Amino acid sequence: MSFIDKLYRLGCVVDEDEIKEIMINRPEDSAIADYVTIQVDFIVKNDQLVKEPQLKHTSLDDLETMFTKKIGGTSNSYYLYPNFEFQNEKDLYKKFKAAKHTFENSVLVYASEEHRELARPILEYLANYSNDKLGFKKYSKNNYFLVFTINNQTLVSLMPEIWKNYYENFVQPHIVKKIKGKAVPQLKEAFDAITHKKELCGYNPDVKFFTFDNYHDNMKVQIIDKLPLSKETAKAVKRGWMFAVEHLRFFHMGLEYMILPSIPSQDNKLYRKIVNFLRKSRSIEDIEQREKSFIRRLSEQVEAYNNNEISVQIDIIFLNYNLTNQSVKIFATIEDLLPSRISKVASTMEKLKIIDEGSIQQTDGTYLLSLKNYFAPIELFAKVTKSKKGLENAILQERIALARLLLGYSKITYNELLKRFEQYRQVKYSFKDNQIQKRLIDSKEKDAKVMEWIEYPNQFVEKEDKILKFFNEIEAISERRCNVR
């Protein structure tokens, strides 16, 4: 099953209320008192402004509002309703004028025809606003709520259809052409790439790696041909992606990752149960505080499905999601991973007292042997020098490479392990002194130095044997013999 298939499956069990909840950007109750609430009231009669708008200081409790997250790109972004929250804003004049994007791209698109006529004079007023009659330039840097009303009614109460129509038209065609002054979607009958039903296709699911947003319209024809999606299919994919970004995206000590589950059956109730469990694991804050190991934390997240009764597989997508422009970078994926594999690795680590993060002292006084000493030289270097500048991506790749190795998505040779053992024998990272040093100690001979591993070989060999045993038990070594030099 492909990535887009899995998003579609997820989107099929996500409902309208959940998407609405994801889109709402609810101000914190505790912070509302720190904001100045400004209402701009437009008096409209017979689809005309009858006088200059009134600017009022009011309370947010007295207004029916719906603050939403930003929609669209950074250059022409808008919100579903003209209700805005600004933190530490020093140019309220500019923000007031920018509200035209919300009227232009949302209100005049999703409101009823009657309500659009009410909103047109407001858009015209905003487009021509230049002499600051309302006095926005006098406002100093502060936190503000800016709410537009028409005839003293917020657009949420006056135009509830905006949300309904937006959700119904949740996705747009890849290509829209102007023909005789009218916008005409360029759709064609084809077999939907997901449902395999013959339908009108050509819709954009608005997930950045399934679109050609930054290319000429001539390029968009290719994605319509290669990934034909009907409106309902594209909506499901978008719902799945929005839900995954909001509820199935996790963070652990520098790693950002998404978990997508899949099951072979079409049992939506069972699938939703699995999704709910993963979603709940995102809110268990003490997992991060208690569990420093990525593998053991991952094991806790999927432990409920490590049994023979439910055939569950998961994808782990290591990524970076940009909240500002909703773009995403995918660094690596681990597909069709069985929870039993995660559990086996986690239990083997527990048994052999090995951890994939920094060394941790247990309550009984013993130390867990850290694989980072052998598999994270760049991260250790950055920690010693106290600077990650220019190394962030390399450190991330180190962490992902170790995770892929532990979870069975790659293997290591004995020779490569020996090279890592040798490096650890040679080099010591002194975090106290912020130095990288050779492992030299005073020898029994006068005024002489010797490598620490030569003087105390057992201290190193015991650790190396434990790591060899660990990788053998989880079947992560690709060769049974090493080349003797």
Side-chain angles (χ1 to χ4, degrees):
M1 190 184 292
S2 69
F3 185 38
I4 195 169
D5 282 299
K6 290 170 184 176
L7 290 178
Y8 172 79
R9 176 73 190 276
L10 177 59
C12 287
V13 298
V14 174
D15 61 31
E16 179 182 340
D17 288 340
E18 288 177 304
I19 294 300
K20 190 174 185 178
E21 188 65 25
I22 288 170
M23 288 196 63
I24 289 175
N25 195 20
R26 197 170 275 109
E28 294 289 339
D29 292 338
S30 59
I32 288 178
D34 297 329
Y35 284 73
V36 175
T37 302
I38 300 173
Q39 175 188 354
V40 185
D41 187 42
F42 293 83
I43 306 301
V44 181
K45 291 183 179 179
N46 298 321
D47 302 332
Q48 298 289 327
L49 282 179
V50 298
K51 61 179 180 179
E52 195 70 22
Q54 288 185 298
L55 191 151
K56 309 174 185 178
H57 282 209
T58 184
S59 169
L60 199 64
D61 293 336
D62 297 332
L63 300 168
E64 184 181 349
T65 56
M66 177 180 170
F67 293 90
T68 65
K69 294 174 182 174
K70 189 183 295 184
I71 304 169
T74 53
S75 61
N76 192 30
S77 60
Y78 64 96
Y79 298 84
L80 200 58
Y81 286 98
N83 309 313
F84 308 100
E85 176 187 3
F86 305 122
Q87 295 181 3
N88 298 317
E89 183 53 56
K90 59 183 179 181
D91 193 347
L92 207 55
Y93 169 79
K94 180 180 177 182
K95 293 297 185 182
F96 173 72
K97 284 178 63 66
K100 69 179 183 180
H101 298 304
T102 293
F103 277 89
E104 193 172 42
N105 296 298
S106 181
V107 179
L108 291 182
V109 173
Y110 301 115
S112 66
E113 185 58 43
E114 176 189 355
H115 289 152
R116 282 183 224 164
E117 295 308 313
L118 273 177
R120 286 186 203 282
I122 299 174
L123 175 60
E124 184 179 349
Y125 181 89
L126 291 168
N128 296 310
Y129 188 79
S130 59
N131 55 10
D132 197 28
K133 289 183 180 180
L134 300 179
F136 279 105
K137 290 182 179 179
K138 72 182 181 183
Y139 286 90
S140 58
K141 185 177 179 180
N142 207 339
N143 298 329
Y144 295 100
F145 292 124
L146 180 63
V147 179
F148 286 68
T149 57
I150 299 177
N151 301 332
N152 210 35
Q153 279 188 279
T154 65
L155 274 71
V156 175
S157 58
L158 184 62
M159 307 179 188
E161 76 275 8
I162 286 179
W163 164 257
K164 288 293 183 184
N165 290 334
Y166 169 76
Y167 185 74
E168 179 60 30
N169 297 281
F170 201 37
V171 294
Q172 300 298 322
H174 279 288
I175 303 174
V176 177
K177 290 184 177 180
K178 286 276 188 179
I179 300 177
K180 295 183 180 180
K182 290 187 177 181
V184 180
Q186 300 302 292
L187 306 172
K188 68 177 186 178
E189 200 172 60
F191 287 99
D192 186 294
I194 306 296
T195 65
H196 306 299
K197 295 178 181 177
K198 199 168 188 179
E199 301 185 60
L200 276 179
C201 295
Y203 285 90
N204 179 1
D206 200 22
V207 181
K208 295 299 182 184
F209 33 83
F210 298 136
T211 184
F212 284 170
D213 284 355
N214 298 324
Y215 294 88
H216 192 273
D217 279 356
N218 290 340
M219 297 289 291
K220 293 180 180 180
V221 175
Q222 294 186 27
I223 200 164
I224 296 173
D225 292 338
K226 294 175 181 176
L227 191 66
L229 298 178
S230 66
K231 185 176 182 179
E232 290 306 312
T233 296
K235 285 170 66 174
V237 172
K238 183 175 180 178
R239 286 197 304 269
W241 176 245
M242 289 179 67
F243 187 92
V245 166
E246 184 73 15
H247 299 301
L248 303 180
R249 186 167 53 100
F250 308 93
F251 303 88
H252 185 78
M253 302 181 72
L255 280 180
E256 181 179 356
Y257 63 101
M258 180 184 288
I259 298 178
L260 283 182
S262 60
I263 58 175
S265 73
Q266 296 301 312
D267 187 336
N268 283 344
K269 286 187 177 180
L270 173 59
Y271 182 71
R272 183 67 213 215
K273 182 180 177 182
I274 296 168
V275 169
N276 287 344
F277 181 85
L278 284 172
R279 176 181 178 175
K280 184 180 178 182
S281 76
R282 191 176 195 270
S283 62
I284 303 175
E285 295 179 359
D286 67 331
I287 289 182
E288 175 111 17
Q289 296 168 359
R290 177 181 72 248
E291 191 50 79
K292 301 301 181 183
S293 164
F294 170 66
I295 297 298
R296 295 202 312 207
R297 183 189 187 210
L298 191 61
S299 180
E300 290 191 38
Q301 289 182 287
V302 300
E303 64 183 351
Y305 304 103
N306 181 30
N307 58 61
N308 295 325
E309 296 177 11
I310 306 172
S311 179
V312 180
Q313 292 180 323
I314 65 169
D315 287 0
I316 303 174
I317 301 102
F318 297 98
L319 50 77
N320 175 259
Y321 183 77
N322 188 313
L323 289 171
T324 302
N325 60 20
Q326 299 167 9
S327 65
V328 60
K329 294 179 182 176
I330 293 182
F331 296 102
T333 60
I334 300 178
E335 300 175 357
D336 301 328
L337 185 64
L338 295 173
S340 58
R341 168 70 190 192
I342 302 171
S343 178
K344 177 182 178 180
V345 174
S347 62
T348 307
M349 290 171 69
E350 184 71 27
K351 180 180 70 174
L352 296 177
K353 307 300 181 187
I354 285 176
I355 195 168
D356 52 317
E357 296 292 341
S359 297
I360 298 174
Q361 187 174 13
Q362 298 192 124
T363 53
D364 61 2
T366 62
Y367 277 88
L368 301 181
L369 175 58
S370 173
L371 293 175
K372 271 197 173 182
N373 292 330
Y374 303 89
F375 289 88
I378 299 174
E379 185 174 352
L380 293 174
F381 173 83
K383 188 175 179 181
V384 167
T385 58
K386 295 186 176 180
S387 175
K388 292 183 178 179
K389 189 175 181 180
L391 299 175
E392 295 90 346
N393 190 56
I395 292 171
L396 181 62
Q397 293 297 343
E398 270 186 346
R399 294 173 64 82
I400 293 173
L402 179 57
R404 287 166 63 90
L405 178 62
L406 296 176
L407 295 174
Y409 227 68
S410 64
K411 291 182 181 290
I412 191 169
T413 66
Y414 273 111
N415 276 352
E416 178 60 29
L417 265 178
L418 291 178
K419 288 177 184 177
R420 293 178 183 274
F421 293 160
E422 183 178 1
Q423 182 185 30
Y424 181 74
R425 288 185 177 196
Q426 297 288 333
V427 178
K428 177 172 68 175
Y429 297 89
S430 179
F431 305 117
K432 186 177 180 181
D433 303 324
N434 298 326
Q435 291 182 349
I436 301 172
Q437 304 166 330
K438 286 281 188 180
R439 288 186 180 274
L440 293 171
I441 59 173
D442 293 329
S443 71
K444 296 173 184 178
E445 298 180 15
K446 188 177 180 181
D447 299 326
K449 294 281 187 180
V450 67
M451 296 301 296
E452 185 181 348
W453 69 268
I454 294 176
E455 193 74 18
Y456 304 106
N458 288 342
Q459 292 182 8
F460 294 86
V461 173
E462 286 176 3
K463 293 176 182 177
E464 292 163 5
D465 285 345
K466 183 183 287 190
I467 291 174
L468 277 169
K469 183 177 181 181
F470 169 70
F471 281 117
N472 272 317
E473 287 201 19
I474 65 170
E475 300 176 346
I477 298 177
S478 61
E479 295 177 1
R480 286 301 166 194
R481 293 182 181 179
C482 58
N483 298 325
V484 180
R485 290 179 292 176

